[in-house]
Amino acid sequence: MPPNITLKHLASQLGLSVTTVSRALGGFEDVSATTRERVQAYASEVGYKPNQSARRLKTGRTSSVGYIMNGAQGDFRDQFNTRLLVALGQALHDAAPEHDLIVTTVPEDRDELDTYKRFIDGGKVDSFVVARTRIQDPRVDFLLDSGIPFVTHGRTGRASEHDWVDINAADGFMRATRHLIGLGHRNILFLNFFSDLYTAVERETGYLQAMHDAGLAPSSRHCPHGYASAYQVAHEALSGANAPTAFVCASDIFAYGVMEAVSACGHTPGKDIAIIGADNLPPQMYRQPSLSTLDISFETVSQALIELVLAPQDGAPRHRCFDYDLLLRDTTA
């Protein structure tokens, strides 16, 4: 096969999606007979041969969905990851009991694309759920070129080309920030993920909109993922001049670090300093006061992810977007 003949090339020449071409070559009946014959005839003409993973997809022998966890974005100790994985596993069992969720981790210093390639070349899975998406996401680029079915939890810069399920983070963080402004806060510090994550941009968009509408000066910091980094940033901010009176946090993991820093600086969370987190994650230990947060149903999101990744992917990419609920607890009293 000439090295430049790829699924992406076939799709471009035929005016079809990469997924449709892949499934046509695999003989899937959800692609019309006319389209299958057209794709197969053109592939034969240019010398393209279906690869081994495509043949395995045709037989459907693996009945597995892959989830690859990057150590740079947390591990099994991360409550977000564990809640999502539990919900995904339950949703997959409910929708297709014969399927398995295959989960692996990639160390922070390793290239996760090697693991995707190994999963595909080894025929370990039929499809993928991709989480914590980046604006420029090499995983999505690779999977689109490979023609392997996948759905992302979160959008990317190529969101119009693939299935995704996401949360309306811009709206949620705008409402959270407006609530703090309504309580009288004017110096509100936003602790965010690194800006290469799509959701970080959405979160900051909402925060900035609320601050702009109120005529207030925004202040935001990007933190490495984790409790300790949020603690350090919050402790420094509270110890300096013009200390914030409220924090909006991109995740509850950050918010719990902020709560610890607030207490270490001699303040009372919720009484002296207001805090709002996101994702309604349980604390690693019993804590008071209780944390105000933006809540989303992991079960609902996971059901949507599994529904899309299992459904035939002929036609335009499908998208689902859910809204956060603002849960007000003690830290915004």
Side-chain angles (χ1 to χ4, degrees):
M1 182 183 72
N4 62 326
I5 305 299
T6 64
L7 282 173
K8 187 175 181 180
H9 171 83
L10 296 180
S12 175
Q13 295 300 307
L14 292 166
L16 300 169
S17 70
V18 172
T19 300
T20 298
V21 171
S22 175
R23 295 180 75 80
L25 291 172
F28 281 81
E29 294 183 358
D30 54 70
V31 180
S32 70
T34 300
T35 300
R36 289 202 307 270
E37 291 171 5
R38 178 180 166 222
V39 171
Q40 291 167 2
Y42 181 72
S44 176
E45 177 186 336
V46 299
Y48 178 84
K49 301 291 184 182
N51 61 25
Q52 187 63 26
S53 64
R55 285 196 290 270
R56 278 189 288 266
L57 286 171
K58 179 180 177 180
T59 64
R61 286 198 299 265
T62 68
S63 296
S64 299
V65 176
Y67 184 97
I68 298 174
M69 189 185 307
N70 187 329
Q73 300 296 339
D75 54 26
F76 289 106
R77 292 167 295 183
D78 184 328
Q79 289 281 3
F80 179 92
N81 284 332
T82 54
R83 285 198 65 188
L84 180 61
L85 286 172
V86 168
L88 280 173
Q90 185 62 57
L92 183 60
H93 176 78
D94 292 343
E98 72 281 5
H99 279 64
D100 294 311
L101 182 66
I102 306 299
V103 181
T104 193
T105 59
V106 178
E108 185 174 351
D109 60 347
R110 300 285 294 277
D111 183 358
E112 61 190 309
L113 285 185
D114 290 340
T115 304
Y116 278 92
K117 294 173 184 176
R118 179 165 52 81
F119 267 43
I120 294 171
D121 292 343
K124 296 179 182 297
V125 299
D126 299 331
S127 55
F128 290 94
V129 172
V130 180
R132 284 184 164 150
T133 50
R134 292 157 244 170
I135 299 170
Q136 303 298 326
D137 200 313
R139 300 169 299 175
V140 169
D141 295 338
F142 172 72
L143 292 172
L144 283 172
D145 288 346
S146 300
I148 301 300
F150 72 97
V151 59
T152 62
H153 182 213
R155 281 162 280 182
T156 71
R158 302 182 67 178
S160 63
E161 301 176 57
H162 62 81
D163 292 347
W164 54 261
V165 176
D166 203 359
I167 316 302
N168 190 349
D171 175 75
F173 279 78
M174 180 174 62
R175 287 189 286 116
T177 306
R178 283 178 174 171
H179 180 76
L180 292 173
I181 294 169
L183 293 177
H185 295 282
R186 297 296 179 264
N187 188 349
I188 303 170
L189 180 60
F190 177 44
L191 300 192
N192 199 6
F193 303 123
F194 283 132
S195 56
D196 63 330
L197 293 179
Y198 194 100
T199 191
V201 175
E202 290 289 296
R203 282 159 157 73
E204 189 155 25
T205 296
Y207 164 77
L208 291 175
Q209 185 64 58
M211 296 294 281
H212 177 269
D213 291 346
L216 300 176
S219 178
S220 61
R221 295 281 299 275
H222 295 285
C223 302
H225 189 79
Y227 175 96
S229 63
Y231 173 91
Q232 180 177 354
V233 169
H235 196 281
E236 291 175 357
L238 291 166
S239 302
N242 194 30
T245 64
F247 289 81
V248 177
C249 301
S251 79
D252 285 348
I253 295 171
F254 286 178
Y256 286 123
V258 171
M259 288 178 66
E260 191 73 20
V262 168
S263 297
C265 289
H267 304 296
T268 301
K271 180 180 179 182
D272 302 319
I273 307 292
I275 307 163
I276 297 180
D279 295 328
N280 197 19
L281 303 176
Q284 294 181 340
M285 60 188 72
Y286 179 75
R287 289 181 184 273
Q288 288 292 338
S290 58
L291 177 65
S292 294
T293 188
L294 288 163
D295 181 38
I296 190 67
S297 168
F298 281 76
E299 291 71 26
T300 299
V301 170
S302 295
Q303 287 168 8
L305 287 165
I306 294 302
E307 176 184 321
L308 292 185
V309 82
L310 292 181
Q313 296 186 316
D314 186 25
R318 293 137 324 160
H319 309 142
R320 299 284 302 278
C321 196
F322 299 95
D323 291 326
Y324 275 119
D325 289 324
L326 179 57
L327 299 184
L328 299 176
R329 296 176 176 143
D330 296 338
T331 58
T332 50

